[in-house]
Amino acid sequence: MNSFHVWIRPLGDTCRVRVAGAQNAQWLLSRLGHGFVFKTAEPMNEEMDSSCCTFRVAYSPQMSRRGLETMLARIPEVVLMPDPA
């Protein structure tokens, strides 16, 4: 699999994850789900006029903000980017 960009934006108790490409977003959701990062997430939304998809992940005692960022950064296919303001 080729690498793809992932942008993250902390939003209080959740994190918005933006992924370049719908297939990449589905793959990433599946990968995170297998890693027990979360059992549920907000439904994935495809952005209009963009090939990106977004979803939100709630932080938990088992997965902190730092833990999620670290997990994403360790996935070889993910090029982790801070979300622009």
Side-chain angles (χ1 to χ4, degrees), residues 1-7 18-21 23-32 70-81:
M1 175 170 224
N2 293 328
S3 62
F4 56 91
H5 288 101
V6 175
W7 296 265
R18 183 175 182 236
V19 182
Q23 277 188 309
N24 295 333
Q26 288 288 6
W27 180 87
L28 183 59
L29 275 171
S30 176
R31 173 98 183 237
L32 292 174
T70 300
M71 181 172 279
L72 288 169
R74 288 183 178 162
I75 299 172
E77 294 84 359
V78 169
V79 178
L80 192 57
M81 309 288 289

Side-chain angles (χ1 to χ4, degrees), residues 43-82:
M44 185 173 58
N45 298 310
E46 291 188 47
E47 296 178 6
M48 297 181 97
D49 301 327
S50 172
S51 64
C52 293
C53 294
T54 61
F55 56 90
R56 288 187 189 194
V57 175
Y59 298 126
S60 69
Q62 295 81 22
M63 183 53 60
S64 66
R65 173 183 169 185
R66 176 68 67 201
L68 178 61
E69 291 174 2
T70 300
M71 181 172 279
L72 288 169
R74 288 183 178 162
I75 299 172
E77 294 84 359
V78 169
V79 178
L80 192 57
M81 309 288 289

Side-chain angles (χ1 to χ4, degrees), residues 31-42:
R31 173 98 183 237
L32 292 174
H34 289 339
F36 300 103
V37 171
F38 56 86
K39 295 294 181 191
T40 60
E42 267 190 17

